[in-house]
Amino acid sequence: MKRWIKLAAGVAAITLATAGCAGSSGSGNTQASSNAPAAQGGDITVWLMTGSAPDSLTTALNKEFEDKHPGTKVKYEVQQWNGIQQKLTTALGSQNPPDVFEIGNTQTPQFAAQGVLADLTSSVNDMNGSQWLKGLKDSGTFDGKQYGVPFYAANREVLYRKDMFEQAGITAPPTSNDEWLAAIDKLKAKFGSDPDFQALYLPGQYWYTLLSFIWDQGGDIAKGDGAKFTGTLDTPQAKAGLEFYKKLVDQSGTKAPKDNDESNPAQAGIYGAGKVAMFIGTPGEVATAAKTDPSLKDKTGAFAIPGKTAGKSAPVFLGGSNLAIPVNSKKQDLAKEYLKLLSSAKYQGEIAKGGFVPGTSTDISALDSDPYASVMAKASQNGRAVPSSPKWGDVEAGQNPLKDMLTAYLTGKKTVDQATADANAALNKLLG
């Protein structure tokens, strides 16, 4: 996994640690799960990550759980993202793991493939399964079985200068690709005499944004057949998504580097300098930009990443967390009861109040009052996950073929056909 995002203003950062777990394969999930003895009392250990849930939520949750299960105590521990990969690898391979733990959504298939997660397929309905956020549900699925329960999510949106839009005569945020390009032209016509102005800041290796365009065109990164995945970056749909990315870069005249991503340099800092009308980011990046210019909090608005069809936003990549139960937990029945309570509307509503998109509830009304989080939450309903391959961490942690493809195509070193063919071959090597 890659360090990911900062979420809604005032909410703690989500940091997803680097992947590359090589822990014990464990025993077969079904057999180990069925043989695990049901615990009737004693302690249950729960690991959640720092910044994931407010103390008010976990205090109430743990008390209610203990009241419903007399004789059971919740040993609640807050973990740090830094070093969590190795800590989980060690814990899940032992005979004394936590009974419930939080895991990054793109880490879930990797641990599931190692046989260290309990199969929760039969418990989905008990955990509010009909309300699950689809993108997170998919990320917790491996080889046709459910191993992760959605916890919370966040996604990207277009953050823009309302004052610049008004001065350029743009009366409403764009709702289609064509309207977006037209808005860029109006902004350039109004402010283009300033050599430092950028209608849209779009780094060349911002592959999370590329995913939206590929998915919107009906394409994907890879397709799965059971646990096997094959790259699909060379399909006409994927190429169309890449071509639209280039169109945005070329037409906007962005000065962002074509050989780096949104973190280098940090795009919120570029926006904070006051010469950028739009960038694609997360709600928390507004607060970061406002450290340079506090007036940006009032000047900034948000709209969903437009799609090719007017009025229909593009799919977005969902980052966030799932909840899981170790296959070696001796208290799986109690652990499932804990997840059942945490996935209820009552506690998922508290997640939403904290600025996150709830993973097991479609009620996002608690986010309505936040102009950035509300847009994010609505777009999340059309959210997607990266391929649920156990080797996806190798894609992000290594020489990411998607980044190389973008740079090669945007700089003209490769045609769209060659760039996608080479990236697809590299992806197949990593996932195969």
Side-chain angles (χ1 to χ4, degrees):
M1 291 277 296
K2 180 184 184 317
R3 179 180 57 79
W4 200 66
I5 57 174
K6 286 191 177 182
L7 298 177
V11 179
I14 292 181
T15 310
L16 303 183
T18 57
C21 165
S24 167
S25 62
S27 53
N29 288 15
T30 302
Q31 180 179 2
S33 178
S34 61
N35 291 338
Q40 301 296 328
D43 294 338
I44 179 174
T45 301
V46 176
W47 286 7
L48 297 185
M49 304 307 298
T50 181
S52 294
D55 290 341
S56 58
L57 184 157
T58 54
T59 298
L61 169 68
N62 293 338
K63 183 180 185 304
E64 181 174 349
F65 182 79
E66 291 175 352
D67 289 345
K68 288 185 174 182
H69 301 276
T72 298
K73 296 295 181 183
V74 178
K75 293 179 63 178
Y76 175 60
E77 300 178 18
V78 177
Q79 303 296 324
Q80 303 299 314
W81 283 109
N82 187 27
I84 192 59
Q85 183 82 25
Q86 185 56 48
K87 188 169 185 177
L88 279 175
T89 299
T90 301
L92 297 181
S94 74
Q95 294 303 310
N96 189 33
D99 300 293
V100 173
F101 69 99
E102 178 182 347
I103 186 173
N105 63 326
T106 64
Q107 290 174 307
T108 312
Q110 182 182 17
F111 282 111
Q114 293 169 2
V116 295
L117 304 185
D119 180 1
L120 302 176
T121 307
S122 63
S123 301
V124 170
N125 291 337
D126 295 332
M127 299 174 187
N128 209 24
S130 63
Q131 300 288 303
W132 285 12
L133 193 60
K134 187 180 184 304
L136 280 190
K137 179 181 186 297
D138 292 345
S139 74
T141 304
F142 177 71
D143 200 15
K145 298 178 181 179
Q146 194 72 39
Y147 294 97
V149 177
F151 190 17
Y152 60 82
N155 47 271
R156 290 165 177 82
E157 59 195 358
V158 184
L159 298 160
Y160 73 101
R161 286 281 298 270
K162 294 184 290 185
D163 55 334
M164 287 184 175
F165 269 49
E166 183 178 355
Q167 293 173 47
I170 304 169
T171 57
T175 63
S176 69
N177 289 343
D178 289 341
E179 291 177 6
W180 198 5
L181 293 169
I184 286 173
D185 287 342
K186 289 183 178 181
L187 289 163
K188 288 169 64 179
K190 178 64 179 179
F191 302 104
S193 59
D194 184 342
D196 295 324
F197 175 74
Q198 299 181 69
L200 172 68
Y201 183 84
L202 184 57
Q205 295 187 344
Y206 203 175
W207 67 275
Y208 293 117
T209 292
L210 174 65
L211 295 183
S212 287
F213 303 149
I214 290 176
W215 288 332
D216 187 49
Q217 293 291 337
D220 209 339
I221 314 168
K223 62 180 179 181
D225 181 10
K228 180 182 178 182
F229 286 81
T230 305
T232 54
L233 290 171
D234 57 352
T235 63
Q237 295 85 354
K239 290 178 184 179
L242 184 59
E243 288 170 338
F244 181 70
Y245 194 108
K246 187 175 189 299
K247 193 168 188 177
L248 275 178
V249 167
D250 292 345
Q251 192 159 326
S252 68
T254 179
K255 296 174 174 57
K258 292 182 174 63
D259 59 352
N260 227 318
D261 59 23
E262 70 282 7
S263 300
N264 299 292
Q267 62 179 6
I270 304 298
Y271 180 71
K275 299 289 187 176
V276 172
M278 289 182 283
F279 75 105
I280 300 167
T282 58
E285 290 181 270
V286 177
T288 301
K291 293 178 181 178
T292 302
D293 180 3
S295 70
L296 287 175
K297 286 186 177 180
D298 295 327
K299 293 178 180 177
T300 301
F303 59 89
I305 298 174
K308 62 180 182 179
T309 303
K312 184 178 180 181
S313 61
V316 289
F317 166 71
L318 289 178
S321 287
N322 293 321
L323 298 162
I325 298 173
V327 74
N328 286 342
S329 168
K330 297 177 177 62
K331 300 178 181 178
Q332 290 188 29
D333 287 348
L334 280 174
K336 289 177 182 178
E337 288 296 312
Y338 190 89
L339 290 185
K340 181 178 179 180
L341 190 59
L342 181 50
S343 62
S344 67
K346 175 181 178 180
Y347 290 106
Q348 287 292 297
E350 293 300 310
I351 292 290
K353 289 179 183 178
F356 297 111
V357 180
T360 59
S361 173
T362 56
D363 183 5
I364 55 176
S365 58
L367 297 167
D368 287 348
S369 61
D370 187 310
Y372 314 123
S374 59
V375 172
M376 175 185 72
K378 290 174 183 176
S380 74
Q381 307 307 300
N382 191 22
R384 301 274 296 273
V386 294
S388 57
S389 165
K391 297 185 178 181
W392 183 258
D394 295 340
V395 175
E396 293 197 37
Q399 189 70 25
N400 190 327
L402 297 168
K403 288 187 171 185
D404 292 343
M405 175 183 71
L406 279 163
T407 295
Y409 179 51
L410 295 176
T411 57
K413 292 182 179 179
K414 294 180 181 179
T415 64
V416 66
D417 290 339
Q418 189 62 54
T420 52
D422 291 348
N424 211 59
L427 193 62
N428 283 333
K429 185 175 181 180
L430 288 169
L431 298 182

